[in-house]
Amino acid sequence: MVGLKPTDIPPSAKVKFLSAGTAACIADLCTFPLDTAKVRLQIQGESKASKAAKNVKYRGVFGTIATMVKREGPRSLYNGLVAGLQRQMSFASIRIGLYDSVKQFYTPQGSDHTSIFTRLLAGCTTGAMAVTCAQPTDVVKVRFQAHISVVGGPKKYNGTVDAYRTIAREEGFRGLWKGTLPNITRNAIVNCGELVTYDLIKEALLRHHLMTDNFPCHFVAAFGAGFCATVVASPVDVVKTRYMNSIPGQYKNALNCTLTMVMKEGPTAFYKGFMPSFLRLGSWNVVMFVSFEQLKRLMVLAQVAWESPF
């Protein structure tokens, strides 16, 4: 058996909240270069891209990473990491940490079974709540990741705080909430793809006694959740990235961004960066869910040890 044993005491909502945010930060630290590569591939082909962006052609996940390291230095792979970690602490804590609590809230009293509809509704709810709170951090993260710089050249923003200030000053307060609607749509889909799929796979593995509630079970369920989330969320994710990174006036709204992509680049544009999306989301889910399960158990044990008399 790998990892900590399941505890008899169920984790509280507070434990789940803190565990989810921390686990998501660990996952981001491990997979951030893949996320940056995904963003670069998704914005490739924009008609109003910067001159530097038009001069760079990315080919595949690892080709994109190699090109970035060669032209911009290895640190470019972690552009926007601070905003990314800020995002996960506020974002994942809500959408993942509160999922079970919201699911229980929607489940009728006295019912022993939670329907798929209830799980989907809980996933959509926590996903929308998380975006509402964390959207500015996502905008700043995408701007950092999409910006192409030359080694030793001028920087678009002098740090994360400066990025928040600059966007608010140049685009108004609404600039920090740019792309909220497509992001809510995207994260409602991702949340359902990730949490509901993970929930169902893990439950099925345990119910049929194929695995015990430990690392192998969490790994398999998380991998399946990552694949499902990538397939259903890629189109909305591309639109979200394009719209959030766009200059003022480039697109009227998210729908206009979608139609522009279809007319100029065809429907395949919605799956640009699919492989890095899957590599990133699949590996992110594995690291996050495995860490999440272990952190919940660790925090419960720490809480018991703290409260127990000497």
Side-chain angles (χ1 to χ4, degrees):
M1 184 171 59
V2 182
L4 298 171
K5 297 179 181 179
T7 58
D8 296 328
I9 304 172
S12 63
K14 183 166 65 176
V15 166
K16 292 177 184 177
F17 188 87
L18 292 173
S19 299
T22 306
C25 286
I26 294 171
D28 249 27
L29 286 169
C30 296
T31 63
F32 207 79
L34 291 172
D35 190 42
T36 303
K38 177 204 73 171
V39 170
R40 292 294 179 92
L41 285 166
Q42 286 178 337
I43 65 172
Q44 187 165 253
E46 280 189 302
S47 59
K48 292 190 179 182
S50 66
K51 188 178 291 185
K54 288 180 179 179
N55 291 334
V56 179
K57 296 296 181 184
Y58 300 114
R59 296 182 182 278
V61 187
F62 300 108
T64 301
I65 291 174
T67 301
M68 289 181 64
V69 171
K70 183 179 179 180
R71 292 179 62 96
E72 305 171 58
R75 291 184 64 181
S76 64
L77 297 173
Y78 283 90
N79 281 345
L81 178 62
V82 174
L85 296 178
Q86 291 173 351
R87 173 181 180 266
Q88 292 300 355
M89 280 309 297
S90 55
F91 182 74
S93 296
I94 296 171
R95 79 176 183 92
I96 299 169
L98 298 182
Y99 170 73
D100 285 337
S101 298
V102 175
K103 184 175 67 174
Q104 290 171 7
F105 175 77
Y106 286 141
T107 303
Q109 285 188 344
S111 176
D112 296 328
H113 175 71
T114 305
S115 66
I116 294 180
F117 176 76
T118 300
R119 298 173 201 253
L120 291 172
L121 187 59
C124 290
T125 301
T126 57
M129 288 167 59
V131 171
T132 304
C133 296
Q135 181 67 6
T137 61
D138 205 10
V139 172
V140 170
K141 179 183 80 77
V142 169
R143 294 289 179 91
F144 268 110
Q145 289 177 313
H147 177 61
I148 297 176
S149 60
V150 181
V151 177
K155 295 181 179 180
K156 189 174 183 180
Y157 305 115
N158 294 317
T160 307
V161 175
D162 180 61
Y164 288 113
R165 289 173 179 167
T166 303
I167 294 171
R169 184 176 64 250
E170 294 180 355
E171 303 174 41
F173 184 74
R174 291 180 62 184
L176 290 169
W177 299 90
K178 194 172 189 178
T180 300
L181 183 58
N183 209 11
I184 286 176
T185 306
R186 183 249 182 196
N187 280 291
I189 295 171
V190 168
N191 229 28
C192 292
E194 283 181 354
L195 294 174
V196 177
T197 305
Y198 180 82
D199 216 7
L200 292 172
I201 293 175
K202 179 184 172 183
E203 192 176 278
L205 291 172
L206 296 176
R207 184 172 64 250
H208 296 291
H209 305 289
L210 298 173
M211 291 181 174
T212 56
D213 190 7
N214 284 299
F215 174 79
C217 175
H218 305 156
F219 181 92
V220 172
F223 187 83
F227 180 76
C228 290
T230 307
V231 170
V232 299
S234 276
V236 185
D237 192 31
V238 174
V239 172
K240 181 210 79 166
T241 301
R242 290 282 185 97
Y243 187 60
M244 283 167 56
N245 186 56
S246 64
I247 60 176
Q250 183 173 351
Y251 303 115
K252 293 179 181 178
N253 47 47
L255 179 61
N256 178 248
C257 178
T258 304
L259 295 174
T260 302
M261 284 175 60
V262 172
M263 291 187 291
K264 293 189 175 181
E265 301 172 60
T268 56
F270 292 112
Y271 281 92
K272 276 191 173 183
F274 178 82
M275 188 51 68
S277 287
F278 173 60
L279 287 174
R280 189 260 172 183
L281 205 52
S283 57
W284 190 91
N285 270 270
V286 169
V287 175
M288 193 284 298
F289 277 115
V290 169
S291 301
F292 180 46
E293 297 283 3
Q294 293 300 306
L295 283 168
K296 282 192 297 183
R297 294 173 184 182
L298 182 63
M299 287 188 180
V300 168
L301 290 173
Q303 188 176 14
V304 170
W306 179 265
E307 294 174 353
S308 62
F310 291 100

